Amino acid sequence: LYDPNCNGKQVMVHLFEWKWTDIAAECERYLAGAGFCGVQVSPPTEHVILPENNYPWWQRYQPVSYKLFSRSGSEADFVDMVHRCNSVGVRIYVDAVVNHMTGTGRSGTADGGSTYNSVGDARDFPGVPYSAEHFTPRDQCPSGDGNVNDYSNPANVRNCYLVSLTDLYGKLDYVRDAVAGYFNHLIQVGVAGIRIDAAKHMWPEDIAAVLSRLNDLPTDQGFPAGSKFYVFQEVIDQNDGAIKVDEYYDTGYVTEFRYCSKIAWGIKDYGQLSNLIDYGWGMARSDRAFIFTDNHDNQRGHGGGGNVITHENPRDYKQAVAYTLAQDYGFTRIMSSYFFENSDQGPPSNGGYSTADVTINADGSCGGGWVCEHRWNVMKKMVEFRNLVAGTTMSNYWNNGNAVAFSRGNQGFFAMAKQGSMSETLQTGLPAGSYCNIIDDCASSIQVGADGMAQVNINNYEEPIMAVCVGCGG
Ligand code: ARE
Ligand code: CA
């Protein structure tokens, strides 16, 4: 439940809207070598298709059945991806949409062939199958129009329809069995875990009931016997409602959205980095916190949006992700995006509904509209750093409001300078010796004395970051 099942590796990447064929290739050609734990993939299940909205990315958050047939590919492609990634030690985590099915008022046939009808009182999803009695009864929802509209009332949040999405009745054994059946199918294929979408809108005991029905992970996909599905739950707790992240600790990790605001604030005003993790603010305990600088919603103003830093400001973004990976709180995920002009726009396409391949340029960056933040040199090097210092705590913390530095046990040392330069004599916590900065590919280095002190110089406006570690770099 709490172990991501990736051999102690520390960082996941969300390859948002990538096709299964491209993810399989990315595991083999890049992610394995770069030390990534695994990939969060977009929802793999059959979903509505919305030409009238120009095939927005969010159509995949309206499932039609649990058949593995989506805009990212067929079930055969999915299975091939999971197997190929597992065989190079990179795990797959599925974005699981099980709080609801489609929005109300929709009908049609999904790509995998299943029909759906949620027009009027109909709630027909024969591909599962679900019908009207499997959806939360209207009298359970204390809201005038049946939709979620009062975040101060847990029954409203969990029993009403989130943005008019038909809400599954998670109390029923039938629904719990159906959802567990979907998850056990993923497990049998070799998926290592899930993000539970809209977990905040599900009762924790309903989630627990589903998880209690799950099998161990299969040893034939390289999981040690007795391994459990890794779970992280999307609970947006910004101190703005009745639902708190700690209600979900027994069923897995929780997304910590306050971290997104905090790191954005900290990069704007380095002094704030000193109290980045604010337990007084109710932030989740470290061994339950799932953290990221931005996600597929808040980078485009969905899901409450907020002040977050994204790839659109590369200089700030590199600092935000570098700091996130350098410090010791939580389990980390890196976002990998595509460029967009409006917040509904789907991924790069070949026209219409067909998602374009990810193009890899000769220099290792991506083309064709894909941003591939996870391939930026700073991100790659910081993944290496975080893996190497895993298990150590932050110490020798120093912050003068313009530059910041700290050590990770006696394994690593990190420094960052907002204006692009710094020159300070600092305690590194490291054994004496010469260490090179992996961020600038060892163009600069520090000399650590017998007392652990070193002269730390940064002179690099675009990437004002230093990361050194025992046994990394050249
Ligand atoms: C779309 C249309 C809607 C339409 C609906 C049904 O935009 O107008 O009514 O379809 O036809 C995504 C998109 C939605 C989209 C949906 C379904 O973002 O725009 O709706 O897919 O296609 C809350 C929830 C949180 C949720 C965010 C978006 O708590 O769980 O809202 N996030 C997840 C995903 C989303 C996804 C869904 C859930 C649905 O990450 O990508 O929606 O599966 C405060 C509160 C938060 C609240 C936030 C925004 O911060 O504390 O709890 O988040 O405000 O309301
Ligand atoms: Ca619900």
Side-chain angles (χ1 to χ4, degrees):
L1 208 53
Y2 306 109
D3 179 347
N5 302 301
C6 60
N7 245 323
K9 290 183 281 180
Q10 300 291 317
V11 187
M12 172 185 310
V13 57
H14 181 194
L15 296 179
F16 179 51
E17 285 282 7
W18 282 42
K19 290 192 291 190
W20 308 149
T21 46
D22 280 323
I23 294 175
E26 190 71 349
C27 286
E28 295 167 344
R29 69 192 167 199
Y30 178 77
L31 298 172
F36 279 85
C37 162
V39 183
Q40 178 187 320
V41 304
S42 286
T45 46
E46 269 191 300
H47 52 80
V48 297
I49 300 168
L50 304 173
E52 65 274 27
N53 298 96
N54 205 14
Y55 311 104
W57 60 269
W58 45 259
Q59 60 185 13
R60 299 178 68 170
Y61 291 88
Q62 299 190 37
V64 161
S65 82
Y66 300 135
K67 284 186 195 151
L68 302 179
F69 201 117
S70 68
R71 187 179 201 164
S72 287
S74 67
E75 173 157 1
D77 293 338
F78 181 85
V79 171
D80 183 61
M81 167 188 73
V82 173
H83 290 176
R84 284 167 61 191
C85 291
N86 278 341
S87 62
V88 295
V90 179
R91 300 306 189 184
I92 297 294
Y93 306 90
V94 156
D95 194 348
V97 185
V98 294
N99 170 65
H100 52 263
M101 299 300 280
T102 70
T104 53
R106 300 199 186 279
S107 64
T109 305
D111 262 4
S114 301
T115 60
Y116 54 98
N117 181 8
S118 56
V119 176
D121 292 333
R123 298 285 180 268
D124 295 329
F125 300 93
V128 179
Y130 286 135
S131 50
E133 70 265 31
H134 303 127
F135 292 82
T136 311
R138 183 65 181 83
D139 63 9
Q140 304 284 302
C141 159
S143 142
D145 64 359
N147 292 322
V148 173
N149 59 12
D150 179 6
Y151 277 97
S152 71
N153 179 352
N156 184 297
V157 176
R158 290 168 173 154
N159 293 344
C160 302
Y161 283 21
L162 171 64
V163 293
S164 83
L165 296 158
T166 54
D167 197 68
L168 285 165
Y169 197 28
K171 296 248 158 324
L172 301 180
D173 278 331
Y174 182 89
V175 171
R176 294 172 174 184
D177 286 341
V179 172
Y182 166 38
F183 292 172
N184 277 325
H185 180 201
L186 296 174
I187 287 170
Q188 178 226 317
V189 168
V191 171
I194 41 170
R195 165 190 187 265
I196 302 186
D197 179 73
K200 177 177 180 175
H201 302 275
M202 301 171 71
W203 295 94
E205 63 263 34
D206 294 348
I207 295 176
V210 168
L211 299 182
S212 74
R213 288 160 159 82
L214 300 187
N215 302 325
D216 290 350
L217 304 186
T219 51
D220 66 7
Q221 284 298 308
F223 298 103
S227 298
K228 307 290 179 204
F229 219 27
Y230 177 65
V231 176
F232 57 106
Q233 305 162 92
E234 192 223 8
V235 180
I236 305 181
D237 174 359
Q238 317 218 66
N239 302 334
D240 57 351
I243 313 279
K244 301 289 172 208
V245 287
D246 55 12
E247 296 172 53
Y248 292 84
Y249 287 171
D250 290 344
T251 42
Y253 270 66
V254 292
T255 53
E256 184 44 271
F257 279 83
R258 285 163 291 203
Y259 183 85
C260 303
S261 331
K262 272 292 185 102
I263 188 67
W265 190 10
I267 297 305
K268 191 178 289 176
D269 172 4
Y270 265 30
Q272 295 301 327
L273 289 170
S274 303
N275 33 25
L276 187 65
I277 309 309
D278 192 339
Y279 293 112
W281 237 27
M283 284 174 73
R285 59 190 243 216
S286 186
D287 62 355
R288 292 292 183 277
F290 189 92
I291 63 163
F292 39 92
T293 55
D294 61 325
N295 81 341
H296 73 281
D297 284 325
N298 64 19
Q299 71 167 199
R300 48 175 50 68
H302 279 241
N307 285 321
V308 300
I309 304 179
T310 74
H311 65 85
E312 294 191 330
N313 291 305
R315 184 174 181 272
D316 284 356
Y317 195 61
K318 287 172 190 171
Q319 292 172 48
V321 176
Y323 196 90
T324 299
L325 298 186
Q327 56 84 48
D328 60 4
Y329 175 72
F331 188 83
T332 53
R333 178 183 61 198
I334 293 186
M335 182 67 200
S336 186
S337 317
Y338 57 82
F339 293 103
F340 57 88
E341 259 134 45
N342 75 71
S343 64
D344 294 332
Q345 187 178 321
S349 88
N350 303 313
Y353 173 55
S354 156
T355 301
D357 289 346
V358 174
T359 343
I360 309 294
N361 300 321
D363 66 359
S365 65
C366 293
W370 302 94
V371 185
C372 292
E373 297 93 311
H374 68 290
R375 281 176 166 261
W376 296 3
N377 186 53
V378 169
M379 303 351 186
K380 180 182 181 190
K381 295 300 173 56
M382 289 307 302
V383 170
E384 180 184 1
F385 181 90
R386 192 172 185 83
N387 284 336
L388 262 154
V389 303
T392 66
T393 52
M394 289 167 79
S395 46
N396 300 308
Y397 194 85
W398 174 88
N399 183 339
N400 74 354
N402 262 314
V404 60
F406 55 84
S407 51
R408 289 291 305 267
N410 58 5
Q411 297 297 302
F413 175 77
F414 176 83
M416 203 165 75
K418 185 173 170 59
Q419 310 303 335
S421 64
M422 69 184 280
S423 175
E424 293 284 338
T425 303
L426 296 171
Q427 176 56 248
T428 66
L430 297 175
S434 174
Y435 298 87
C436 81
N437 182 8
I438 60 175
I439 301 297
D440 64 12
D441 298 322
C442 291
S444 62
S445 59
I446 57 172
Q447 313 307 319
V448 175
D451 58 358
M453 302 295 287
Q455 173 66 33
V456 176
N457 295 329
I458 291 182
N459 252 305
N460 183 336
Y461 184 74
E462 282 307 317
E463 297 180 353
I465 304 161
M466 170 179 290
V468 306
C469 29
V470 175
C472 65

